[in-house]
């Protein structure tokens, strides 16, 4: 089955760190650019960043730049995002997403999401 | 950043209705506009990409149109499984951005 499965969410104190993982199965991860998006009830869907197919290039949203880092290990079919210096406003469900291709650029596969709660 | 504004924010409908949701971009995005819907407790699902191309496996009652800054999603003959929240999203440039969502509720 073609799917993405996130893990690693939880409760963390402000200023803390967390590493989220996304396991890909049923397709060749190395062929796709991958993205992270988060969702909060108040602010809807917010794009966090992306990584190119071979992992040599990343782009992070301004709100997380310098605090979050996206990486991947294609040999292990895994995408990751390191969350540092967490703030209350980072509380959200985090989704990993597959982008269709560089031409069409839509998100055709989503994980089920993992919840991150930043609270003292 | 490119802002996407959806209207309406919510609407009430009944099974069989034809509904239209609009999405306006703050600057041109050519046709790099995608539509998703999200049912409660589930991840969003791609419906339409590049403004008007139906994603594989998605019902033909969904259709999209538009280019530049103005886009529409139309659902013909609304079905029970279509009551959900709908989002537009631009893939023209980084950062990718989403509209605020349109909740389609049972009237």
């Amino acid at each position: 089955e073609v799917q993405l499965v996130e893990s690693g969410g939880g409760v963390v104190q402000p200023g803390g760190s967390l590493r989220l993982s996304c396991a890909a199965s049923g397709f060749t991860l190395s062929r796709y650019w991958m993205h992270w998006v988060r969702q909060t009830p108040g602010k809807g869907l917010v794009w966090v960043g992306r990584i190119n197919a071979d992992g040599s290039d990343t782009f992070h949203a301004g709100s997380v730049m310098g605090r979050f880092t996206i990486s991947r290990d294609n040999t292990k079919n895994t995408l990751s995002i390191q969350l540092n210096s967490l703030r209350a406003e980072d509380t959200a469900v985090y989704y990993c997403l597959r982008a269709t291709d560089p031409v069409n650029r839509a998100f055709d596969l989503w994980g089920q999401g993992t919840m991150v709660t930043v609270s003292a | 950043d490119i802002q996407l504004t959806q209207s309406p924010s919510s609407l009430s409908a009944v099974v069989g209705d034809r509904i239209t949701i609009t999405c306006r971009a703050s600057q041109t995005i050519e046709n790099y506009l995608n539509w998703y819907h999200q049912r409660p407790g589930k991840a969003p699902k791609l419906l339409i990409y590049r403004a008007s191309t139906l994603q594989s496996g998605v019902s033909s009652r969904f259709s999209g149109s538009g280019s530049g800054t103005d886009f529409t999603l139309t659902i013909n003959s609304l079905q029970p499984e279509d009551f959900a929240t709908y989002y537009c999203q631009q893939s023209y440039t980084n950062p990718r951005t989403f509209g605020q969502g349109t909740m389609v509720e049972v009237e």
Side-chain angles (χ1 to χ4, degrees):
Chain A
E1 182 184 0
V2 175
Q3 63 177 357
L4 297 168
V5 179
E6 301 95 336
S7 60
V11 180
V12 61
Q13 293 186 339
S17 298
L18 213 54
R19 187 175 184 87
L20 308 182
S21 295
C22 172
S25 59
F27 67 98
T28 304
L29 182 66
S30 61
R31 294 180 180 174
Y32 295 91
W33 291 42
M34 299 295 291
H35 298 243
W36 287 91
V37 163
R38 64 187 182 184
Q39 185 172 33
T40 60
K43 288 195 172 183
L45 293 163
V46 177
W47 183 79
V48 174
R50 64 90 176 139
I51 187 166
N52 69 346
D54 67 8
S56 62
D57 184 62
T58 58
F59 191 105
H60 298 82
S63 59
V64 307
M65 199 173 296
R67 300 189 300 122
F68 292 7
T69 304
I70 297 171
S71 62
R72 66 194 294 161
D73 185 340
N74 287 337
T75 65
K76 296 182 178 179
N77 289 326
T78 300
L79 176 74
S80 298
I81 184 168
Q82 178 69 37
L83 316 178
N84 294 333
S85 303
L86 283 162
R87 307 166 180 166
E89 55 264 36
D90 296 319
T91 295
V93 174
Y94 285 74
Y95 294 99
C96 65
L97 287 62
R98 184 180 78 176
T100 51
D101 58 78
V103 174
N104 294 309
R105 311 181 198 170
F107 302 139
D108 70 336
L109 184 64
W110 296 60
Q112 86 287 354
T114 187
M115 182 72 204
V116 172
T117 303
V118 184
S119 173
Chain B
D1 298 2
I2 295 175
Q3 309 300 318
L4 297 179
T5 304
Q6 290 181 232
S7 61
S9 294
S10 65
L11 66 88
S12 298
V14 299
V15 171
D17 278 355
R18 179 176 186 265
I19 67 168
T20 298
I21 300 169
T22 66
C23 179
R24 173 163 289 178
S26 58
Q27 64 185 75
T28 183
I29 55 173
E30 298 182 7
N31 69 342
Y32 289 99
L33 193 284
N34 310 308
W35 290 97
Y36 305 82
H37 74 177
Q38 183 178 33
R39 300 186 180 106
K42 300 293 187 181
K45 175 187 174 183
L46 177 64
L47 300 172
I48 301 279
Y49 62 92
R50 295 293 291 272
S52 60
T53 302
L54 195 67
Q55 171 68 354
S56 175
V58 174
S59 170
S60 58
R61 64 179 180 272
F62 293 93
S63 63
S65 64
S67 65
T69 61
D70 294 304
F71 302 87
T72 60
L73 173 71
T74 299
I75 311 174
N76 287 300
S77 188
L78 201 66
Q79 296 299 300
E81 60 267 31
D82 300 335
F83 292 98
T85 300
Y86 290 78
Y87 295 95
C88 58
Q89 176 253 330
Q90 64 83 15
S91 52
Y92 180 73
T93 189
N94 290 325
R96 303 291 198 249
T97 47
F98 292 84
Q100 82 280 12
T102 296
M103 184 178 294
V104 177
E105 302 173 299
V106 177
E107 185 171 335

